[in-house]
């Protein structure tokens, strides 16, 4: 018993890892549960250097010597770097240094701010302080400390409970008790018009002397338009009621811009301002974060780490606000520019998060929308990131809701609804964290607002998912994009526009069609299938369509108009052998696969899992016979792999509820918006499912995976702890 307590004390004191037995019996035949302890401060710090060493077994047991070695390096590192603001501490640098009774040191202003937020525990070793620093009043309300609820146990408490043979709290059961502890009661302003001034002038590129306007061609041509008829020639005597033309769009990025960005990435990784060295559109980002009781422990630590990555990678002209919600919602950090001081304050706010209470998604979104509505100034790009690991038990599933089916539209404030308002609204990108979140509500929120839904099945890849998202947001080159399709031949008319989730419409006479696309990231592409009638003719060729795009430059605010060449087909007098356009066939396959996913989900929701699997299998067989499949087209291969993965997640009701529903909905979100989402661990750049990743997304994702715990080695480090936390009562 004595040796076991010695190991426990050493491990807890070093805040790294410890051996947790299933029982107190030294001769117990059951395998031990090994958990590697990571402090919140260590998880939040991008500078953490994890020495993985050689490959380890599935249940590694850390030695006492290894613990001492790691503790020594950790202690030395903590003396050189403030674990709160992540900057170096040097004597005589003009900043006071506070050394706590546990011997760890921090910048005085950092730890004073942390203490004012309610923290009286060392961020490094978790020792409880009796003597704490104090300075002036707080800058902004922060979530208050909380004690007394099992759902808010620290990991140290959880580990010691196992040592004593006590059952660990079950997050969902304790959450259902609704033991609510409100967030900090400091009064919030009635109007969130206290956003920090933009205080910067956009840098506009110089116009070429030969460039007379933004119309047609030139150095500032924002879009590329390419069209593909399904076949190049049809006989003169034939008529077609559903002839398909593919409209392909690409948001161009200047070669010099791309080269400069990549050169800076390889040379210096210190900030995103250096990655995107050439001018880009600054962002207003509001993060709405779930800190309910079920987020306690590893999930909260991983969230802090992911938010640390976001904060460190936004530029000084970008602005960030942080909303935390549980039973209620609170603005932790106002909309501020992430200058050096703003970045430090944002990190302090995130590091103060404490998990407790229920899940009130609607209240969190309401506050996030209010920040966007009330801001005095606006950056060119705006977006909301929503993360939750649970189900809203107030607005949708509350006791007062007697509706037979949940109304997920109640979760989204009308001001950020994409469909119910004219113009382009603020997209909400939602992230379902773990296997207990409400995928239907998260997908509904993103779909209604014009955002995407990502499924974070492997909790350790949360940072990668955030990285992929902000990699896109920080590369917006086109805004308010609208596509206009017009018939040329007098006897032609449009039949349909297949645009996924993008709003589209046809004029009454069918001669024109419009698609509202909105923002595009650099190098991002969109494909739309247009169906038209083709009449018989005596001419040698028929002019079908012309396509025009109208969009706005986010920096200059100038409107750019680009027109395509006329879409024409040959009309020979006799039938000739022509090949189907592989570009058209590829996009037909994508739309058919998305339709199969939608039908399979409907069948699964009705309890017909066999029927759902059959729908997906039939689609796979159909794809295998297409022109694209026979030419080993990459998209076709990816669609087949994706459909197969979905089939495997429909093997039972339990598997479907845990991951199948979320995986399918995330896939539908990706295909309907033609934008990359995270599904399981599919943010990996080598995954064939990631058909919509842009170079900017890939760069940011690579950065996350090579410098953080989101990497493969980091996942191996966290896996024992994640496995342990997924079984709260190993006894």
């Amino acid at each position: 018993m004595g040796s076991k307590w010695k190991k426990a004390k050493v491990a807890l004191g070093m805040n790294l890892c410890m051996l947790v037995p299933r029982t107190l019996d030294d001769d117990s035949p059951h395998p031990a549960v090994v958990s590697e302890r990571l402090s919140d401060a260590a998880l939040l710090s991008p500078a953490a250097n994890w020495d993985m060493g050689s490959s380890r077994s599935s249940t590694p047991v850390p030695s006492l010597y290894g613990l001492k070695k790691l503790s020594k390096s950790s202690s030395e590192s903590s003396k050189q770097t403030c674990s709160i603001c992540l900057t170096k501490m040097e004597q005589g640098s003009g900043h006071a240094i506070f050394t706590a009774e546990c011997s760890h040191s921090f910048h005085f202003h950092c730890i004073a701010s942390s203490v004012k937020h309610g923290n009286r525990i060392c961020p490094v070793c978790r020792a409880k302080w009796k003597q704490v620093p104090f300075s002036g009043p707080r800058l902004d309300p922060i979530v208050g400390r909380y004690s007394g609820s099992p759902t808010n146990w620290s990991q140290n408490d959880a580990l010691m409970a196992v040592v004593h043979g006590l059952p660990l709290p079950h997050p969902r059961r304790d959450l259902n008790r609704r033991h609510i502890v409100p967030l900090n009661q400091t009064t919030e302003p009635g109007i969130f018009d206290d956003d920090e001034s933009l205080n910067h002038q956009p840098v506009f590129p110089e116009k070429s002397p030969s460039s007379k306007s933004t119309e047609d061609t030139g150095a500032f041509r924002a879009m590329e338009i390419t069209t593909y008829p399904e076949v190049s020639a049809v006989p003169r005597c034939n008529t077609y009621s559903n002839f398909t033309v593919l409209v392909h769009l690409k948001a161009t990025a200047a070669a010099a811009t791309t080269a400069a960005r990549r050169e800076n990435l390889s040379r210096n990784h210190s900030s995103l301002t250096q990655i995107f060295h050439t001018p880009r559109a600054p962002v207003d980002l509001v993060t709405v974060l779930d800190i309910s009781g079920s987020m306690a422990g590893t999930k909260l630590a991983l969230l802090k780490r992911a938010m640390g990555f976001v904060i460190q990678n936004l530029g000084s002209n970008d602005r960030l606000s942080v909303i935390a919600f549980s039973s209620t919602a609170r603005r932790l950090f106002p909309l501020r520019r992430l200058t050096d001081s703003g970045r430090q304050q944002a990190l302090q706010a995130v590091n103060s998060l404490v998990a407790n209470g229920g899940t009130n998604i609607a209240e969190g979104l309401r506050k996030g929308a209010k920040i966007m509505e009330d801001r005095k100034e606006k950056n060119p790009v705006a977006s909301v990131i929503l993360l939750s690991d649970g189900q809203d038990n107030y607005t949708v599933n509350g006791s007062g809701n007697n509706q037979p089916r949940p109304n997920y539209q109640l979760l989204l404030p009308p001001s950020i609804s994409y469909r119910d308002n004219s113009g382009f609204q603020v997209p909400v990108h939602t992230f379902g964290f773990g296997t207990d979140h409400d995928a239907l509500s998260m997908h509904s929120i993103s779909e209604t607002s014009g955002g995407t839904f990502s499924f974070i099945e492997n909790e350790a890849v949360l940072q990668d998912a955030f990285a992929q998202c902000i990699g896109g947001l920080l590369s917006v080159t086109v805004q308010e994009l609208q596509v206009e399709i017009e018939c040329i031949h007098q006897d032609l008319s449009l039949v349909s526009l297949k645009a996924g989730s993008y709003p589209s419409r046809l004029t009454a006479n069918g001669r024109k069609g419009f698609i509202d696309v909105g923002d595009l990231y650099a190098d991002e592409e969109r494909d739309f299938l247009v169906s038209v009638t083709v009449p018989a003719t005596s001419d040698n060729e028929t002019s079908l369509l012309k396509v025009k795009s109208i969009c706005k430059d986010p920096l200059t605010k100038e409107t750019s108009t680009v027109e395509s060449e006329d879409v024409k087909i040959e009309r020979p007098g006799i039938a000739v052998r022509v090949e189907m356009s592989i570009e058209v066939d590829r996009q037909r396959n994508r739309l058919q696969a998305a339709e199969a996913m939608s039908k399979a989900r409907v069948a699964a929701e009705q309890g017909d899992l066999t029927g759902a699997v059959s729908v997906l299998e039939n689609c796979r067989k159909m794809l295998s016979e297409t022109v694209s499949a026979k030419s080993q087209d990459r998209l076709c291969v990816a669609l087949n792999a994706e459909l197969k993965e979905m089939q495997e997640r429909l093997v039972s009701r339990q598997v479907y509820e845990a991951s199948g529903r979320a995986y399918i909905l995330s896939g539908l979100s990706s295909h309907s918006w033609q934008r990359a989402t995270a599904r399981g661990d599919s943010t990996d750049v080598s995954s064939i499912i990631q058909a919509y990743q842009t170079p900017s997304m890939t760069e940011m994702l690579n950065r996350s995976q090579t410098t953080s715990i989101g990497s493969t080695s980091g996942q191996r480090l966290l896996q024992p702890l994640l496995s342990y936390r997924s079984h709260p009562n190993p006894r």
Side-chain angles (χ1 to χ4, degrees), residues 99-295:
T99 302
E101 53 209 80
C102 60
S103 78
H104 292 113
S105 299
F106 313 88
H107 286 127
F108 182 86
H109 66 275
C110 291
I111 201 63
S113 177
S114 180
V115 168
K116 284 186 295 180
H117 296 153
N119 296 318
R120 294 175 180 264
I121 297 177
C122 177
V124 178
C125 69
R126 315 303 289 175
K128 188 174 182 180
W129 291 337
K130 297 179 181 178
Q131 298 177 338
V132 295
F134 177 76
S135 61
R138 70 186 59 180
L139 295 172
D140 201 69
I142 302 294
V143 173
R145 298 294 292 179
Y146 168 63
S147 61
S149 171
T151 61
N152 193 44
W153 283 19
S154 69
Q155 291 185 25
N156 288 351
D157 294 332
L159 291 173
M160 295 310 294
V162 176
V163 170
H164 284 292
L166 301 174
L168 282 171
H170 190 289
R172 288 292 163 199
R173 281 201 301 265
D174 290 328
L175 178 61
N176 291 336
R177 296 175 188 172
R178 287 244 183 124
H179 184 87
I180 299 173
V181 176
L183 302 179
N184 192 295
Q185 296 296 322
T186 304
T187 303
E188 284 184 341
I191 300 177
F192 293 143
D193 59 355
D194 54 352
D195 53 301
E196 184 175 357
S197 174
L198 299 181
N199 195 30
H200 70 87
Q201 294 295 326
V203 180
F204 301 135
E206 295 182 3
K207 290 190 176 183
S208 168
S210 62
S211 178
K212 296 181 180 180
S213 72
T214 59
E215 195 163 335
D216 296 326
T217 185
F220 302 98
R221 184 167 180 166
M223 296 295 303
E224 292 178 357
I225 303 176
T226 313
T227 56
Y228 303 89
E230 62 175 277
V231 292
S232 60
V234 296
R236 297 174 192 167
C237 59
N238 289 4
T239 60
Y240 296 84
S241 60
N242 198 20
F243 188 86
T244 302
V245 176
L246 168 64
V247 176
H248 175 80
L249 307 172
K250 182 176 181 180
T252 59
T257 300
T258 304
R261 183 173 66 243
R262 290 176 179 170
E263 181 181 356
N264 277 282
L265 179 66
S266 62
R267 192 168 51 203
N268 195 326
H269 287 243
S270 62
S271 75
L272 193 69
T273 306
Q274 292 167 324
I275 294 178
F276 292 90
H277 183 68
T278 53
R280 66 165 178 85
V283 178
D284 281 346
L285 179 63
V286 176
T287 56
V288 182
L289 309 176
D290 186 344
I291 57 167
S292 58
S294 56
M295 285 289 294

Side-chain angles (χ1 to χ4, degrees), residues 708-723:
S708 74
I709 205 164
S711 63
T712 302
S713 60
Q715 292 178 33
R716 286 200 301 267
L717 178 65
L718 274 179
Q719 196 55 49
L721 181 58
L722 294 174
S723 299

Side-chain angles (χ1 to χ4, degrees), residues 22 36 40 42 232 241 279 297 308-309 344 355 458 471 551 573 605 627 652:
R22 283 177 180 260
E36 291 182 90
D40 291 353
S232 60
S241 60
F309 180 86
Q344 289 184 14
N458 181 353
C551 61
E605 294 296 335
V627 174
S652 69

Side-chain angles (χ1 to χ4, degrees), residues 300 385 449:
L300 186 62
I385 285 179
S449 66

